[in-house]
Amino acid sequence: MSAATSRWVTEFQRQITRRKHVVLYGNIHDQFLWRGSYLPVHDVLAALFAETGFELYIRYDPVDGLQFD
């Protein structure tokens, strides 16, 4: 990765590239460093999945349920 990125994002990318199952949990309102700028977690994950070649990104929260991006 060329610009500064949060450490967990780098490790997450390494794991999904190996097709590992990963469960993320925690504060969804935090901002994370992605390519030199701070973004919400769902924007970081959507960009990461698109860059890695995944065609479908599904997220869940108790209020809105499943969301397909």
Side-chain angles (χ1 to χ4, degrees), residues 51-65:
E51 182 180 283
T52 311
F54 286 83
E55 295 178 15
L56 182 62
Y57 162 53
I58 303 169
R59 59 187 167 127
Y60 171 81
D61 73 62
V63 174
D64 297 323

Side-chain angles (χ1 to χ4, degrees), residues 6-29:
S6 295
R7 187 177 190 182
W8 76 266
V9 175
T10 304
E11 180 60 26
F12 182 78
Q13 184 175 23
R14 192 173 301 130
Q15 294 300 322
I16 63 170
T17 304
R18 294 182 191 151
R19 303 294 190 228
K20 299 282 185 177
H21 291 83
V22 179
V23 175
L24 296 178
Y25 62 92
N27 190 346
I28 61 168
H29 301 292

Side-chain angles (χ1 to χ4, degrees), residues 25-68:
Y25 62 92
N27 190 346
I28 61 168
H29 301 292
D30 285 352
Q31 300 276 314
F32 296 97
L33 188 58
W34 171 256
R35 306 286 170 133
S37 61
Y38 287 92
L39 300 171
V41 69
H42 57 83
D43 290 344
V44 171
L45 293 175
L48 180 63
F49 286 132
E51 182 180 283
T52 311
F54 286 83
E55 295 178 15
L56 182 62
Y57 162 53
I58 303 169
R59 59 187 167 127
Y60 171 81
D61 73 62
V63 174
D64 297 323
L66 290 175
Q67 297 178 351
F68 298 86

